[in-house]
Amino acid sequence: MSIRLSNGKVIPMEMHKIKIVQKTTLSPAAARLAAMAAAGYNTFLLRTRDVFLDMLTDSGTNAMSDNQLAAMMVADDAYAGSESFYKLADSVKDIFGYQHTLPVHQGRAAEHLLAKVFVKPGDVIPMNYHFTTTRAHFELAGGKVLEIYTDEALKTESSVPFKGNIDLDKLHDVIHTYGAEKVSFVRMEATTNLIGGQPFSMANLRDVKNIASEHGIFLLLDASLISENAYFIKQREQGYENVLIKDIVLEMMSLADMCYLSGRKSCSARGGFIATNNKELFDRMAPWLPVYEGFFTYGGMSTKEVEAMAVGMREMVEFDVAGASAQFVKYFVDRLVESRIPAVTPPGGLACHVDAHKFLPGLQSLEYPAGALSAAVFLTSGIRTMERGTISTDRALDGTEMAADVELVRFAVPRRVYTMSHVEYAVDRVKWLYDHRDLIGGLKFTYEPPVLRFFLGKLEPKDNWGAKLVQAFQADFGPDC
Ligand code: F0G
């Protein structure tokens, strides 16, 4: 929830008390420089002991509730028939309205099963936007991902409330061009992660569903960030102001044929599942579950996580939980925009995103501006962010480098983890960096893995700019900062 102060300022308010904490440390810039070099200028390869605020991701890093932790204590560790699974299946029935649940160890495992069963070589998969693992799995199965977003989607500074919408004309075109039989399914990602956590509207979801079903194509929802998308529908879509998040989620699910999710995000647990009311679709996937994931009642997850997810699903549709991250993201984005720093607007779910192309206009895509800015943020603040740009975009099949549509640095705001002073600190250091942006140069790969290169790739700064940036920082803040 947000609170209006007596001076008129609106601030996000934590609707929880902190009962357990984890110590964090802020190491000096010289140590951060050494850590960054050892990590090959890739924030994924940092050790958390060198990180002050971990804003890499909101995946599996949210604070769990007392009720989630309590549920973990009563997990039923059985290979088959675990009661914990039936609690999850009941949550899926109540919160999503789906009767059939296939548990998997995390979101990408769901994508793997979906790709294995529904994506044939030569197929196309239209979607509002891809996620890294989604594209990898669908392409490995021989499919082609078609992003059919609206013209607004890639404009980082915008006031359009639903930049995650599918362009309906493009959907018609895809079906017309390739034929319905070549379309594996239509995928809608609830708050499109890679373009700034931007939601789609209920109206768009309904239209997409109607077009897909007219052609006998099923609609698949990536529900990893479903509660945030529902929160934005409540905030931004006419007619939903007074509808409960719970009812918005149920309506969204009623429009899809099947959903899958990473339980590491909105659910504040770890794990995932696929769910549907369509028994025929379910039966096609079911035989593969024990091959890749585990038996039907744990799917590769620990039963403790199954319990935590069962509770997390019920909690994520409470207004204060659905908005816990989104309200801090909005505050963060508004503070940056006040200082004319190019952040993605409107604020989305999961993270505050900074447009690295606009921040570092002198750098070309293949100098990896988002990777460079992400490294620079760590050097000057100890905050770990994530590159979401060209480094996160794998080469085309013929080996050519592909510039990402947008070059973003993601400051994830895991749910209920960070406080206002953490956000203020981040804003302050980003402002300092913006004033010293001329010191930030490009990166080049020293090791480039063949797939999902952003995870394990190593890079180095051109002309040793990292050390020069740290020198300038020390000159302003002192040698021990
Ligand atoms: N779909 C979306 C929209 C995601 O954001 C993610 C993961 C996945 C699928 C894959 O799920 O990680 O459980 O296998 N996003 C994480 C992130 C990794 O940092 O944004 P997973």
Side-chain angles (χ1 to χ4, degrees):
M1 114 170 191
S2 301
I3 294 273
R4 185 178 298 280
L5 300 179
S6 42
N7 65 4
K9 188 176 170 187
V10 176
I11 56 165
M13 187 53 67
E14 296 87 345
M15 296 306 287
H16 50 261
K17 294 191 290 184
I18 296 167
K19 289 204 228 181
I20 295 183
V21 294
Q22 182 181 354
K23 194 167 129 73
T24 185
T25 49
L26 174 54
S27 54
R32 299 198 291 266
L33 182 63
M36 192 80 268
Y41 277 69
N42 179 351
T43 54
F44 275 97
L45 301 181
L46 289 165
R47 292 183 62 158
T48 52
R49 68 176 184 194
D50 298 318
V51 171
F52 173 42
L53 304 181
D54 195 0
M55 296 186 162
L56 182 78
T57 177
D58 64 332
S59 170
T61 55
N62 302 297
M64 297 176 97
S65 70
D66 45 4
N67 287 324
Q68 283 184 293
L69 284 171
M72 290 174 100
M73 292 300 110
V74 294
D76 179 22
D77 268 328
Y79 187 93
S82 165
E83 281 305 313
S84 303
F85 169 72
Y86 292 101
K87 289 185 205 164
L88 175 64
D90 282 347
S91 292
V92 175
K93 283 180 196 155
D94 293 346
I95 304 300
F96 285 179
Y98 286 151
Q99 298 304 311
H100 310 295
T101 302
L102 284 174
V104 294
H105 81 271
Q106 64 182 87
R108 69 200 69 184
E111 289 165 344
H112 176 219
L113 270 184
L114 291 161
K116 167 103 197 140
V117 175
F118 298 110
V119 179
K120 298 181 298 300
D123 274 6
V124 293
I125 310 101
M127 57 184 68
N128 50 354
Y129 208 76
H130 78 280
F131 184 68
T132 52
T133 54
T134 323
R135 173 137 85 194
H137 279 296
F138 294 174
E139 287 184 352
L140 284 168
K144 187 171 167 192
V145 167
L146 301 176
E147 291 165 317
I148 47 170
Y149 44 78
T150 62
D151 291 345
E152 276 300 316
L154 304 184
K155 291 185 191 151
T156 54
E157 281 158 287
S158 163
S159 56
V160 170
F162 294 108
K163 293 198 286 181
N165 280 355
I166 277 185
D167 182 319
L168 303 177
D169 290 336
K170 290 183 191 163
L171 181 57
H172 279 299
D173 281 353
V174 167
I175 298 170
H176 179 75
T177 308
Y178 293 90
E181 64 293 347
K182 284 280 175 209
V183 180
S184 313
F185 44 79
V186 179
R187 172 179 174 275
M188 288 281 266
E189 185 176 304
T191 80
T192 47
N193 188 330
L194 294 188
I195 52 173
Q198 300 295 315
F200 54 74
S201 66
M202 191 75 85
N204 187 251
L205 182 65
R206 195 174 299 115
D207 288 342
V208 169
K209 166 66 180 172
N210 287 340
I211 296 170
S213 51
E214 260 168 41
H215 294 88
I217 300 167
F218 75 82
L219 175 58
L220 173 71
L221 206 59
D222 178 336
S224 308
L225 290 148
I226 186 81
S227 58
E228 281 74 16
N229 203 116
Y231 171 83
F232 289 125
I233 287 176
K234 185 174 173 67
Q235 298 287 308
R236 300 178 186 174
E237 189 162 353
Q238 221 187 352
Y240 286 91
E241 305 83 351
N242 299 319
V243 183
L244 295 172
I245 300 281
K246 174 166 114 4
D247 294 330
I248 296 177
V249 167
L250 265 179
E251 186 175 341
M252 290 167 86
M253 289 298 160
S254 75
L255 292 170
D257 296 286
M258 180 151 68
C259 80
Y260 75 94
L261 59 72
S262 166
R264 304 170 62 87
K265 295 192 163 244
S266 287
C267 293
S268 294
R270 292 148 204 93
F273 62 79
I274 305 172
T276 181
N277 278 332
N278 186 321
K279 184 76 167 54
E280 194 241 312
L281 296 178
F282 176 84
D283 286 344
R284 284 173 66 187
M285 292 179 288
W288 296 103
L289 186 72
V291 179
Y292 292 111
E293 294 298 304
F295 194 68
F296 296 92
T297 52
Y298 74 94
M301 281 182 275
S302 101
T303 50
K304 288 190 170 50
E305 293 297 349
V306 175
E307 289 275 354
M309 194 156 52
V311 175
M313 280 193 74
R314 294 183 189 277
E315 291 179 345
M316 74 181 183
V317 293
E318 290 169 21
F319 180 77
D320 287 330
V321 179
S325 167
Q327 286 172 347
F328 268 85
V329 171
K330 178 175 174 356
Y331 181 82
F332 199 155
V333 169
D334 288 349
R335 295 284 285 115
L336 291 180
V337 170
E338 270 165 38
S339 300
R340 299 193 204 299
I341 292 168
V344 172
T345 52
L350 93 135
C352 164
H353 294 80
V354 173
D355 184 332
H357 261 321
K358 290 188 179 152
F359 202 107
L360 301 172
L363 294 189
Q364 302 299 311
S365 298
L366 297 189
E367 294 178 294
Y368 312 128
L373 183 54
S374 179
V377 167
F378 177 74
L379 292 175
T380 51
S381 67
I383 299 174
R384 171 157 75 163
T385 58
M386 191 188 288
E387 189 270 2
R388 297 277 72 165
T390 299
I391 297 177
S392 296
T393 308
D394 279 342
R395 288 172 184 263
L397 290 176
D398 67 5
T400 42
E401 278 245 48
M402 299 205 295
D405 293 325
V406 283
E407 241 0 274
L408 304 181
V409 173
R410 182 174 89 173
F411 290 76
V413 182
R415 295 157 192 79
R416 304 179 289 208
V417 172
Y418 294 123
T419 60
M420 187 81 91
S421 48
H422 291 131
V423 174
E424 287 296 344
Y425 171 77
V427 168
D428 180 77
R429 292 305 191 255
V430 175
K431 276 198 222 163
W432 184 90
L433 214 41
Y434 195 58
D435 293 339
H436 296 79
R437 59 192 183 279
D438 291 349
L439 294 171
I440 304 172
L443 296 174
K444 57 175 189 276
F445 271 102
T446 56
Y447 164 65
E448 186 184 341
V451 65
L452 296 180
R453 62 184 185 170
F454 61 92
F455 281 129
L456 293 176
K458 290 208 158 196
L459 302 101
E460 65 185 17
K462 293 181 177 172
D463 303 323
N464 204 20
W465 61 259
K468 291 173 203 157
L469 181 69
V470 164
Q471 270 169 20
F473 181 81
Q474 288 170 326
D476 277 8
F477 292 90
D480 300 328
C481 283

